[in-house]
Amino acid sequence: MVELAVSPNLIQVTDREHFVGILDKFIEKQSVATLLPQLMSLLKFPGPDWFRSVISKRLSTLPLRQGGVRQTVDFIAGADSGKLATAALSRTSKLLTSVPSEMTTEAYFSALAPQLLEMLDDSSSDNRRIASYIIGNGILSKRAIGSPGTNGWNLFARPIHDSINPQEQQFTSDLELKVALDRLSALVQYHANPGLTKRLVVPILLPLWGLLCFAAQNHNSMVAEQVHHILALYMKVSVTDAQLIFLGENILWDGPTHWSFRQSVDGGVEIAERGMVASSSQDMLALNDMIDNRVEQYVKLLTTAILTDDQIGEVLTQACQRWLDGCPRGAPESFDPNQSQMKSSMETLASVKLTHRLLEVFRDEITSSFQGIFKLVEPLLAAFVVEHKQSVERLARRSNPSLATLADIASDEAEP
């Protein structure tokens, strides 16, 4: 039948399309489980190029059938003594990501994606492991089909990012957020390489941080533990000093201007329009508890990461510098309850608390070398020098009064 349909040697066959139709109908009637071993066995034997081409073409379209991905996985697992070790996973991924010659890459992966995502969302850890390997190693790790902007990225990675960091006028329900976190967790946990983990996590680093803190503050341990696990995995394989400092600088971040996290009716976490989220009151005790929670979450992440003493020292130095930069010079100003003043005060308080907590937890690492001690003392000495210089200049102006310094003198004398 195959020879009548496509063999170039039978030039007398004029109704070739008729036999091609018969061949395709015959194959269509067979199940994937039946065809896979037969077609694979035919490829193992030497044969003319046209014959192997026909077999490969029909084989590559089998995964697109209903349940085709799962049956392909089962077939290769069966050939691997019922298990799917790394080598067998690699063969499965190679077969499933081989685009048929008559289809475009976009069309093929768009048709394949629903089955892979269904496996990725499955409660079975085996299905999640297999799907994450195929998506992560077979698609997203390949520049041509899986880098940002490509069809593979738009099918598997971008929906995760859009759910965790929605754009203008786009918000996320608790169920959508759960699905996105489950998928991201599987992709970074199973077989993901450092480069892929970085590309998946870095664009949504702040939203993940904000979500972690919100969930922990509101006692949603399931979400908090899942996000912590994602960030911890990232920090172990790809985090840089700049990103550690970036998180410390944004330790109070709770969302962009147009959305924020809130508890859903079912007790989960959703992303809603910021105007619909009850604004925080000026309850200083609540604000203090919120800062303590965020400092603790940040330090907890640092303890799970594989950091050098120099990295820890740099994080502490930057926190200490932010604290000193936020301290007012000279006489304190009167309290201004506006939002910008409140934000600045909270950021300074967070830097103070973070510095103190880092010294408590990483005392041995920081003081283990002269360089670590010097990094800690340096900003304190610099702040003292600046304050001393300003004090000397004020004294010099007082000893040589002029019209330009009368206001300063009067102001100092007026202070209680």
Side-chain angles (χ1 to χ4, degrees), residues 58-210:
R58 268 62 182 181
L59 182 63
S60 63
T61 59
L62 291 182
L64 298 182
R65 292 191 186 184
Q66 183 176 0
V69 171
R70 180 69 254 185
Q71 293 181 68
T72 301
V73 169
D74 291 341
F75 167 72
I76 296 179
D80 196 41
S81 302
K83 299 180 180 180
L84 218 59
T86 302
L89 273 175
S90 180
R91 292 197 301 272
T92 305
S93 177
K94 184 177 181 180
L95 176 59
L96 291 174
T97 57
S98 298
V99 181
S101 57
E102 73 276 12
M103 296 183 69
T104 64
T105 301
E106 290 76 10
Y108 177 73
F109 286 116
S110 295
L112 193 69
Q115 292 190 63
L116 289 175
L117 291 174
E118 183 180 0
M119 291 181 64
L120 192 64
D121 296 338
D122 196 86
S123 58
S124 166
S125 59
D126 284 342
N127 281 344
R128 289 167 58 81
R129 180 176 69 93
I130 294 166
S132 65
Y133 185 93
I134 297 168
I135 295 171
N137 290 48
I139 300 173
L140 294 179
S141 293
K142 296 180 179 178
R143 184 184 300 272
I145 60 176
S147 59
T150 62
N151 181 247
W153 180 268
N154 292 337
L155 287 170
F156 299 104
R158 185 176 176 180
I160 294 175
H161 286 181
D162 288 347
S163 293
I164 297 175
N165 185 26
Q167 303 306 306
E168 294 284 351
Q169 305 303 318
Q170 299 293 322
F171 306 109
T172 308
S173 68
D174 55 351
L175 179 58
E176 291 169 333
L177 189 59
K178 181 183 183 304
V179 169
L181 288 175
D182 287 345
R183 291 177 178 179
L184 179 61
S185 178
L187 289 173
V188 300
Q189 180 177 354
Y190 298 111
H191 319 291
N193 58 57
L196 176 59
T197 299
K198 182 178 180 180
R199 284 191 285 124
L200 289 171
V201 173
V202 169
I204 52 174
L205 186 60
L206 270 186
L208 285 172
W209 165 250

Side-chain angles (χ1 to χ4, degrees), residues 183-342:
R183 291 177 178 179
L184 179 61
S185 178
L187 289 173
V188 300
Q189 180 177 354
Y190 298 111
H191 319 291
N193 58 57
L196 176 59
T197 299
K198 182 178 180 180
R199 284 191 285 124
L200 289 171
V201 173
V202 169
I204 52 174
L205 186 60
L206 270 186
L208 285 172
W209 165 250
L211 177 57
L212 167 63
C213 295
F214 178 87
Q217 183 75 19
N218 289 275
H219 310 291
N220 191 323
S221 58
M222 184 176 296
V223 173
E225 290 173 5
Q226 187 174 34
V227 179
H228 174 84
H229 183 61
I230 292 170
L231 289 174
L233 286 173
Y234 163 68
M235 287 191 167
K236 288 179 180 179
V237 298
S238 296
V239 75
T240 64
D241 293 1
Q243 288 159 353
L244 290 173
I245 294 169
F246 175 71
L247 275 184
E249 292 172 340
N250 293 275
I251 198 167
L252 300 181
W253 192 90
D254 67 347
T257 56
H258 66 284
W259 63 253
S260 186
F261 302 104
R262 75 174 183 186
Q263 284 188 293
S264 67
V265 176
D266 297 328
V269 181
E270 63 185 12
I271 297 176
E273 186 177 0
R274 184 171 286 275
M276 297 176 61
V277 181
S279 59
S280 60
S281 65
Q282 304 299 322
D283 184 348
M284 296 308 296
L285 289 177
L287 292 175
N288 187 66
D289 289 343
M290 182 270 289
I291 293 173
D292 286 342
N293 168 65
R294 287 172 175 265
V295 167
E296 201 60 37
Q297 293 302 323
Y298 182 77
V299 173
K300 184 179 177 182
L301 278 175
L302 294 184
T303 58
T304 60
I306 303 175
L307 302 180
T308 64
D309 292 351
D310 288 342
Q311 286 179 308
I312 295 171
E314 185 63 24
V315 170
L316 174 62
T317 300
Q318 294 298 322
C320 186
Q321 188 63 59
R322 290 193 300 273
W323 164 26
L324 296 174
D325 289 344
C327 291
R329 304 298 182 193
E333 299 177 357
S334 60
F335 178 72
D336 180 2
N338 63 45
Q339 289 297 322
S340 60
Q341 179 68 28
M342 175 63 75

